[in-house]
Amino acid sequence: MDEERALYIVRAGEAGAIERVLRDYSDKHRATFKFESTDEDKRKKLCEGIFKVLVKDIPTTCQVSCLEVLRILSRDKKVLVPVTTKENMQILLRLAKLNESDDSLEKVSEFPVIVESLKCLCNIVFNSQMAQQLSLELNLAAKLCNLLRKCKDRKFINDIKCFDLRLLFLLSLLHTDIRSQLRYELQGLPLLTQILESAFSIKWTDEYESAIDHNGPPLSPQETDCAIEALKALFNVTVDSWKVHKESDSHQFRVMAAVLRHCLLIVGPTEDKTEELHSNAVNLLSNVPVSCLDVLICPLTHEETAQEATTLDELPSDKTAEKETVLKNNTMVYSGMNMEAIHVLLNFMEKRIDKGSSYREGLTPVLSLLTECSRAHRNIRKFLKDQVLPPLRDVTNRPEVGSTVRNKLVRLMTHVDLGVKQIAAEFLFVLCKERVDSLLKYTGYGNAAGLLAARGLLAGGRGDNWYSEDEDTDTEEYKNAKPNINLITGHLEEPMPNPIDEMTEEQKEYEAMKLVNMLDKLSREELLKPMGLKPDGTITPLEEALNQYSVIEETSSDTD
């Protein structure tokens, strides 16, 4: 009934009547996302009628009402099939000021029309494959970048920037060819980075350092939404950028990483918005070549260095581990480096662990980022090791029991999701400089067995990557407890009585043969398969492992 009345007025009424009826329809269906199939034809005709009205010379308020209804109707994919034509797309492009002939954005009265047109284009491009093809033909990505350049330095048109960026994100998500066009032809990387700089109001103090006001106001909701859309678009543009091929690329990525560092150190209007902002920053940092991530940390200024020295002197002499890391004027400092951004990433990771769900989507990106940073940058690894794996003092509890970051990560090493447990184990392994003995000290053999088996390190040793040979000192408490630590569980256990001490030799022989027979039965019925370690540390069937050792021994004997 609503569609019939609106269609009748759209076809025959004047601008004022059209505006009133469409405003009523919009108010009634603003939250409608599912439509009755019986009225599908009426909605199609209403869409066609609205496009015919939009080509006429009508007031701005009437244009806005038409576009609001068109945005609601464009949520229905079936309705879009007959109305998604090149002519109709061009109507929306013209209203959104996406034509090259539109040189400026001076008329504030036109801003609502631009915003609603961009919203309509977002819905139509997302829901219609025909619109996606037409967007390529009409070179929509280039037009969107041109509109961004017109408004990138203007703070009062955030809604236009926000929906321009959202449409750019959708295009780069749905068409991989557009990613390459954005990256190279349209210079999307510096353009979108500048959009972020504008949203964060960044003031540079050095080439890759920005001024941080910890007492400043949070981002506004509009600035936060704009920044999130820019981060998502940048993610698509840089998704294949693992290696830097040119010096100019390296500089661009370092500038972007410095902007993302600033992003991590500011907050949004709400806690949820801050988490969403930081989550998108983490995703984008994962695309940055690891060689450019050194800008996440920076040396202290002379004044900050003097303050750090004073703080270190104030700490007791027996707190040797704690003296490496100090907090001065809200700044996390480690060995003369500002570690604020890395500390934010660590806290972000812990919050995602505490959520207890969606680990693959929410946790693995930040864990992977911290792992790669630790592997490539010594100062970051040492700081994270100090925070996550401090020197052991109390070993009475199992490594997975407790509320510290270490305990939480060790619990993830036996998670049911293979990807989650692999990246959690890899992170701890890298913090231990890929040394098996160091990893086992913090996790126990049982928790680390999966990683060691996959790496061929069940027999011990270390990984393939090289790390500096800085010392890993043990506390006196750990040294005293070490002889009684259970290597499998990784914690201190009271000596248990040996059950065979009170047996006679005949009883021992009987129990041994009983065990052999049970294992033989399980093996013959293929319920259990005896395994052994090959010389390279990987697991293989026991017979094959014994054969390889026999070959090695024979070869050694022949050499002798």
Side-chain angles (χ1 to χ4, degrees):
M1 193 68 180
D2 293 330
E3 285 81 5
E4 284 185 6
R5 177 169 173 265
L7 181 58
Y8 175 79
I9 299 296
V10 165
R11 283 177 171 174
E14 48 85 29
I18 292 173
E19 181 182 344
R20 286 192 296 273
V21 74
L22 290 183
R23 190 186 302 122
D24 292 342
Y25 185 92
S26 175
D27 291 340
K28 186 174 182 179
H29 296 279
R30 194 175 302 278
T32 301
F33 290 89
K34 291 184 179 181
F35 300 88
E36 295 293 335
S37 57
T38 53
D39 297 327
E40 185 178 309
D41 288 337
K42 297 175 185 175
R43 291 196 298 275
K44 290 178 181 178
K45 292 176 182 178
L46 181 57
C47 279
E48 292 170 349
I50 288 174
F51 274 113
K52 290 177 181 177
V53 171
L54 286 172
V55 297
K56 299 178 181 178
D57 185 15
I58 55 176
T60 299
T61 53
C62 185
Q63 287 179 326
V64 171
S65 297
C66 288
L67 291 167
E68 285 178 348
V69 173
L70 186 60
R71 170 171 53 83
I72 293 170
L73 296 175
S74 64
R75 297 168 182 168
D76 185 356
K77 293 182 180 181
K78 295 179 180 179
V79 166
L80 292 176
V81 175
V83 299
T84 305
T85 64
K86 187 174 182 179
E87 292 74 17
N88 288 342
M89 288 285 285
Q90 287 175 325
I91 292 172
L92 292 175
L93 295 184
R94 176 179 57 80
L95 293 172
K97 298 296 180 182
L98 290 172
N99 290 332
E100 289 80 357
S101 58
D102 298 316
D103 295 327
S104 62
L105 298 171
E106 298 299 333
K107 295 182 180 179
V108 177
S109 60
E110 293 179 343
F111 288 179
V113 176
I114 299 173
V115 171
E116 284 300 326
S117 300
L118 289 170
K119 289 181 181 179
C120 288
L121 284 168
C122 286
N123 278 1
I124 293 171
V125 168
F126 181 71
N127 288 320
S128 169
Q129 290 187 348
M130 177 60 70
Q132 294 164 22
Q133 293 300 322
L134 287 171
S135 66
L136 291 175
E137 183 180 338
L138 295 168
N139 201 14
L140 181 54
K143 297 178 187 296
L144 289 168
C145 288
N146 187 43
L147 180 60
L148 279 178
R149 290 187 176 92
K150 294 177 187 176
C151 61
K152 67 180 181 181
D153 295 324
R154 302 181 61 176
K155 292 184 175 294
F156 302 104
I157 49 178
N158 278 323
D159 284 343
I160 296 177
K161 285 193 287 187
C162 183
F163 289 102
D164 185 307
L165 290 164
R166 182 171 298 178
L167 185 51
L168 205 57
F169 162 72
L170 288 173
L171 288 175
S172 57
L173 175 68
L174 298 168
H175 284 287
T176 55
D177 293 342
I178 289 181
R179 297 176 191 171
S180 179
Q181 181 191 13
L182 276 172
R183 173 76 187 278
Y184 300 106
E185 179 186 334
L186 301 175
Q187 295 297 300
L189 184 56
L191 173 62
L192 293 170
T193 302
Q194 289 168 8
I195 294 292
L196 283 176
E197 288 184 48
S198 176
F200 299 146
S201 302
I202 290 180
K203 297 178 180 178
W204 296 104
T205 58
D206 203 345
E207 186 177 18
Y208 303 121
E209 292 181 36
S210 61
I212 304 293
D213 183 5
H214 294 287
N215 298 318
L219 289 177
S220 68
Q222 295 81 5
E223 289 170 336
T224 306
D225 289 338
C226 188
I228 289 172
E229 295 301 332
L231 290 168
K232 288 157 62 177
L234 267 171
F235 179 85
N236 288 343
V237 172
T238 60
V239 73
D240 299 319
S241 305
W242 288 100
K243 294 182 180 179
V244 177
H245 300 288
K246 297 184 297 185
E247 188 63 31
S248 59
D249 288 343
S250 177
H251 172 70
Q252 288 179 0
F253 277 112
R254 285 177 182 276
V255 171
M256 187 175 76
V259 172
L260 294 176
R261 177 183 182 274
H262 188 100
C263 175
L264 292 172
L265 301 179
I266 57 178
V267 296
T270 65
E271 187 175 344
D272 288 342
K273 276 296 181 182
T274 300
E275 184 173 352
E276 185 181 359
L277 182 69
H278 289 176
S279 177
N280 281 283
V282 167
N283 292 339
L284 182 52
L285 279 169
S286 300
N287 288 350
V288 176
V290 70
S291 60
C292 300
L293 292 175
D294 56 342
V295 300
L296 291 178
I297 61 176
C298 56
L300 301 181
T301 62
H302 293 299
E303 294 80 5
E304 290 172 330
T305 303
Q307 290 175 346
E308 182 197 14
T310 302
T311 306
L312 287 173
D313 291 339
E314 292 170 357
L315 290 175
S317 58
D318 60 334
K319 298 290 185 178
T320 54
E322 289 83 345
K323 287 182 75 172
E324 287 291 338
T325 307
V326 295
L327 183 65
K328 189 72 174 178
N329 294 333
N330 294 321
T331 300
M332 183 63 66
V333 175
Y334 183 85
S335 295
M337 303 295 289
N338 185 323
M339 293 288 179
E340 285 181 286
I342 303 300
H343 193 246
V344 170
L345 290 173
L346 187 62
N347 289 337
F348 179 84
M349 178 199 73
E350 188 173 5
K351 286 181 182 178
R352 286 297 170 93
I353 294 176
D354 292 341
K355 277 191 171 182
S357 61
S358 303
Y359 280 156
R360 182 173 286 272
E361 298 81 13
L363 177 62
T364 54
V366 66
L367 260 179
S368 179
L369 173 63
L370 290 174
T371 301
E372 293 305 317
C373 285
S374 301
R375 184 176 279 126
H377 302 288
R378 178 174 177 265
N379 284 325
I380 294 177
R381 175 180 57 78
K382 293 185 69 177
F383 170 73
L384 288 172
K385 171 77 179 297
D386 183 71
Q387 297 291 306
V388 178
L389 302 175
L392 287 175
R393 299 184 185 279
D394 181 11
V395 288
T396 56
N397 293 320
R398 290 173 178 257
E400 65 271 21
V401 176
S403 58
T404 66
V405 182
R406 168 193 165 224
N407 303 141
K408 296 172 183 178
L409 287 168
V410 172
R411 285 197 289 271
L412 289 179
M413 293 176 75
T414 54
H415 195 270
V416 293
D417 189 308
L418 182 62
V420 172
K421 73 177 185 180
Q422 282 180 339
I423 190 60
E426 186 75 14
F427 177 52
L428 293 176
F429 195 42
V430 169
L431 293 188
C432 294
K433 297 186 288 188
E434 300 192 20
R435 288 170 45 190
V436 173
D437 57 342
S438 180
L439 178 69
L440 296 183
K441 181 174 75 174
Y442 288 102
T443 68
Y445 197 92
N447 291 313
L451 171 75
L452 300 181
R455 288 289 202 99
L457 294 171
L458 284 171
R462 64 186 307 165
D464 299 328
N465 293 287
W466 181 89
Y467 296 88
S468 61
E469 294 297 331
D470 42 279
E471 292 186 5
D472 185 14
T473 56
D474 292 330
T475 61
E476 286 300 321
E477 296 92 331
Y478 179 78
K479 289 178 181 178
N480 295 332
K482 187 174 181 180
N484 297 320
I485 291 177
N486 185 319
L487 297 179
I488 302 299
T489 61
H491 80 299
L492 184 65
E493 291 184 348
E494 293 296 328
M496 299 290 290
N498 191 337
I500 67 173
D501 284 345
E502 298 180 0
M503 291 184 181
T504 64
E505 292 300 319
E506 290 79 6
Q507 287 176 321
K508 292 178 183 179
E509 184 176 349
Y510 172 78
E511 292 295 336
M513 290 307 300
K514 184 179 177 182
L515 179 60
V516 169
N517 291 332
M518 291 170 62
L519 290 172
D520 180 61
K521 182 180 179 181
L522 290 171
S523 178
R524 282 188 282 104
E525 294 178 357
E526 297 186 352
L527 297 175
L528 179 148
K529 192 171 187 179
M531 305 293 284
L533 284 179
K534 294 193 295 184
D536 63 1
T538 56
I539 297 178
T540 189
L542 184 58
E543 293 181 1
E544 184 178 335
L546 292 174
N547 290 336
Q548 290 198 13
Y549 279 109
S550 298
V551 171
I552 292 174
E553 289 180 2
E554 291 175 4
T555 305
S556 177
S557 299
D558 293 342
T559 304
D560 294 341

